[in-house]
Amino acid sequence: MNLLRKNANMIRELAWSDFKLKYYGSFLGLLWSFLRPVFMLGILYLVFYSFFKVNVEHYVWFLLIGIVFWNFFSDATKDGMQNIVSKAHILKNINISPLIIVISSLLQSFLTFMITLIVLFLILFAFGFYPTASFFLFWFYVALTTILVLGTLLVTIPLSARFKDFGHLWDIFLQMLFWMTPIVYSESLVPASYIKWYLLNPLSRVIMDARTTILYHAFPDPKQIFITLGIVSLILLLGCVIFKRFGKTLTEEL
Amino acid sequence: MIETSHISKRYIIPHEKKMTAVETAIGYLKHTVTYEPFFALQDITFRVESGEAVGVMGKNGSGKTTLLKILSGIISPSEGTYSLKGSVAPFFSLGVGFHHELTARENIYLYGALLGIPRERITEREKTIFAFAGVERFRDTKLKHFSSGMVSRLAFALMIQTDSDIFLLDELFSTGDKDFVPQSLSVLEAYKNKGKTIVLASHDLDLLNRHCSRSMLLHEGRLIDFGKTEEVIQHYIKL
Ligand SMILES: Nc1ncnc2c1ncn2[C@@H]1O[C@H](COP(=O)(O)OP(=O)(O)O)[C@@H](O)[C@H]1O
Ligand SMILES: [Mg+2]
């Protein structure tokens, strides 16, 4: 915490310059970050709605929310690993903590996520989904996802610095996770015998409940909220332990 | 003041090192996880007083950079301890934090932040920084259009805005035109007079002789001499 306060300026500058660079030059820069989910939405909608005939209420919005959360998780974790490699020269030559790179990378991904969410809401409102009391809880899930990403980065970044092929393993993992998360289908399709394991995936829990709060205007079960909170905290704790153990020698591994 | 006590840095030599998770897993299965230690530094003990300028010489691979990186906290020693009085500014390569797609002005804020210089101070001294670097006309030019000498100048101009007490410089003056090196060194002289501690690793023996009263000589990771620069230079030449 102390580290964050002392280096706030550094984190802000890093995140902001990365953000600028990512969408630099082209007027369409930021638009690209919307086009990808839109196309993803288009193809998944076609396949699952028209071909597979999934039976879900408000399927477009159901899908869109899933995609937006998923993209944040998958892009932020991939960008984080790339970021630590592309900033290796900085870490090797200036005495800054690798944690600063992790946080600034998260901040930059978060910024994109927020802009996407704002656009998402503008669209939803335009189609008549007005925020109700449960809307506030939605932001709780946004925060929870961000903490989940942080915890994940704290685990994956030291591993990706240590093992050069970790990026490939992570890609495979993400691909499997995508289908193990209720993004294109509803969790009600998961057989009862699997559901206990299925619901250990914190991303599933967050996406399901985020949908509940804004599409169905309902409050998720408080007990489930606590379980989600518990799982996310555990991942964060694991991240802290791993990063504490391997963060120090991370620079030398790069 | 810098004090080190029996510092060593051990590396696992690269061809033995398992670089991928798959290799590591296979290595565990086959029980071939053997490695040979390599000492980049071994048993280094010395003391540098505040306000001193000390040179570091040695052949390529003798451990100069490793020593300075340990002192600056970028890497940690495998064995031994060290202590520093005051804050450290490590200058390893000029312009590491610079990004070529950003303008000179954007870059000094980014790089400044990395060096821990507050934003306000950069705003305040923007003119001085650009003037020292001699690139006033190009402040809004992207860095990719700068020559490498200009980049070095800009980086150096920014680096000297830090308030640190100890300056660790590793072979910094290889780029830059004929005015750059003397200009930079005059800044260092001024810092020395202000009581800052400077450790300067260089292959330029003449430069070390002019600016450092004492020097250390590293050879194959060991500190084999530490004394008056002139004498250490003689020792180094005879190696
Ligand atoms: N990360 C590393 N892994 C393995 N060996 C290293 C590493 N960094 C430096 N070395 C070795 O340590 C020795 C000292 O390097 P260095 O301090 O850069 O020497 P100098 O700066 O005096 O030329 C060299 O033999 C180099 O190969
Ligand atoms: Mg060197």
Side-chain angles (χ1 to χ4, degrees):
Chain A
M1 267 305 147
N2 204 2
L3 180 108
L4 294 189
R5 198 154 350 104
K6 256 196 344 228
N7 297 298
N9 183 32
M10 203 183 281
I11 294 171
R12 201 184 45 225
E13 290 287 339
L14 273 173
W16 179 236
S17 65
D18 278 347
F19 186 76
K20 252 193 313 198
L21 283 166
K22 201 166 171 186
Y23 304 114
Y24 216 61
S26 70
F27 164 70
L28 295 173
L30 207 59
L31 200 66
W32 278 114
S33 68
F34 296 121
L35 285 181
R36 207 162 56 93
V38 166
F39 277 102
M40 203 166 154
L41 177 73
I43 191 69
L44 290 173
Y45 187 78
L46 179 74
V47 171
F48 285 88
Y49 195 73
S50 305
F51 301 178
F52 277 96
K53 310 246 184 290
V54 289
N55 186 16
V56 172
E57 198 188 354
H58 310 305
Y59 186 60
V60 187
W61 311 124
F62 174 96
L63 196 54
L64 191 56
I65 293 170
I67 289 174
V68 166
F69 274 82
W70 170 260
N71 276 355
F72 174 48
F73 182 80
S74 105
D75 291 351
T77 52
K78 280 194 277 193
D79 284 356
M81 279 189 261
Q82 242 173 38
N83 231 313
I84 204 86
V85 174
S86 68
K87 301 237 161 19
H89 62 291
I90 296 180
L91 285 170
K92 281 172 190 239
N93 289 291
I94 302 177
N95 181 16
I96 65 174
S97 160
L99 190 58
I100 288 174
I101 306 283
V102 177
I103 305 282
S104 76
S105 178
L106 174 67
L107 190 63
Q108 176 226 324
S109 306
F110 182 71
L111 218 56
T112 312
F113 182 45
M114 284 317 264
I115 294 173
T116 325
L117 282 180
I118 289 168
V119 174
L120 172 78
F121 284 129
L122 290 179
I123 299 173
L124 280 175
F125 296 159
F127 281 88
F129 283 92
Y130 292 106
T132 55
S134 61
F135 184 65
F136 291 102
L137 210 59
F138 178 82
W139 295 103
F140 167 73
Y141 287 106
V142 169
L144 216 55
T145 313
T146 311
I147 296 170
L148 175 66
V149 170
L150 174 63
T152 311
L153 284 174
L154 292 176
V155 176
T156 54
I157 283 182
L159 286 173
S160 71
R162 176 70 183 79
F163 301 114
K164 299 304 158 213
D165 57 352
F166 188 77
H168 299 295
L169 293 175
W170 187 250
D171 275 344
I172 297 173
F173 176 76
L174 279 180
Q175 207 168 35
M176 298 198 304
L177 191 69
F178 179 84
W179 297 106
M180 279 296 154
T181 305
I183 297 163
V184 299
Y185 58 88
S186 161
E187 63 281 3
S188 58
L189 289 179
V190 179
S193 48
Y194 291 123
I195 197 83
K196 210 170 73 192
W197 302 106
Y198 187 85
L199 287 182
L200 283 178
N201 172 4
L203 205 57
S204 300
R205 311 179 65 91
V206 168
I207 291 177
M208 281 157 43
D209 288 355
R211 276 177 185 143
T212 308
T213 61
I214 98 170
L215 290 186
Y216 313 119
H217 302 296
F219 286 94
D221 180 4
K223 190 181 143 210
Q224 295 302 325
I225 294 180
F226 278 112
I227 298 177
T228 312
L229 206 58
I231 296 177
V232 171
S233 312
L234 259 162
I235 291 177
L236 183 65
L237 189 71
L238 176 74
C240 290
V241 170
I242 290 197
F243 204 84
K244 202 164 175 166
R245 170 80 177 68
F246 296 104
K248 263 211 186 103
T249 51
L250 197 154
T251 305
E252 290 167 48
E253 304 273 8
L254 283 168
Chain B
M1 193 218 39
I2 306 170
E3 199 167 11
T4 73
S5 164
H6 306 288
I7 282 186
S8 293
K9 182 68 193 175
R10 193 178 51 237
Y11 283 118
I12 297 163
I13 42 179
H15 67 89
E16 295 276 354
K17 196 167 155 186
K18 304 288 183 292
M19 297 298 279
T20 69
V22 174
E23 277 169 17
T24 308
I26 294 171
Y28 277 122
L29 290 178
K30 287 184 173 168
H31 296 282
T32 55
V33 206
T34 55
Y35 64 87
E36 196 183 319
F38 164 77
F39 284 91
L41 282 180
Q42 209 163 0
D43 201 18
I44 308 284
T45 302
F46 64 83
R47 188 185 161 95
V48 172
E49 300 301 332
S50 297
E52 230 186 332
V54 167
V56 181
M57 49 188 115
K59 295 179 187 165
N60 287 324
S62 57
K64 304 183 292 296
T65 303
T66 308
L67 177 62
L68 295 192
K69 285 203 171 169
I70 287 177
L71 294 180
S72 59
I74 295 171
I75 60 180
S76 39
S78 317
E79 280 144 44
T81 56
Y82 65 96
S83 68
L84 304 164
K85 214 186 270 161
S87 53
V88 195
F91 297 162
F92 285 100
S93 82
L94 288 165
V96 273
F98 280 164
H99 204 294
H100 287 249
E101 288 293 333
L102 297 173
T103 67
R105 193 200 299 270
E106 287 170 324
N107 263 304
I108 62 168
Y109 282 99
L110 170 62
Y111 193 20
L114 291 174
L115 294 173
I117 308 172
R119 220 184 148 79
E120 307 79 57
R121 201 191 310 162
I122 297 180
T123 313
E124 209 175 279
R125 300 192 192 165
E126 206 183 289
K127 265 216 169 80
T128 331
I129 294 170
F130 284 122
F132 184 94
V135 296
E136 292 105 319
R137 284 166 48 217
F138 307 105
R139 45 180 79 186
D140 292 312
T141 305
K142 280 189 186 177
L143 220 64
K144 64 179 171 189
H145 302 304
F146 275 44
S147 75
S148 63
M150 284 159 83
V151 173
S152 305
R153 277 171 168 270
L154 187 61
F156 190 81
L158 191 61
M159 279 176 164
I160 55 179
Q161 309 300 327
T162 60
D163 263 346
S164 305
D165 307 305
I166 300 172
F167 289 78
L168 306 172
L169 297 91
D170 188 24
E171 293 173 44
L172 273 198
F173 304 112
S174 46
T175 52
D177 53 31
K178 70 171 174 49
D179 296 333
F180 176 58
V181 178
Q183 197 186 0
S184 312
L185 291 172
S186 68
V187 172
L188 291 184
E189 280 298 319
Y191 275 50
K192 207 166 79 184
N193 295 335
K194 271 196 255 171
K196 311 255 174 190
T197 311
I198 298 170
V199 179
L200 179 61
S202 180
H203 287 294
D204 187 343
L205 301 179
D206 198 39
L207 184 139
L208 292 180
N209 204 10
R210 259 180 296 131
H211 294 280
C212 305
S213 48
R214 291 201 303 155
S215 285
M216 54 183 94
L217 175 57
L218 292 175
H219 185 60
E220 294 174 354
R222 288 180 181 276
L223 179 61
I224 58 168
D225 200 356
F226 190 11
K228 283 181 79 175
T229 301
E230 273 170 50
E231 290 159 18
V232 176
I233 287 176
Q234 290 313 313
H235 189 169
Y236 179 41
I237 290 169
K238 273 188 237 139
L239 270 182

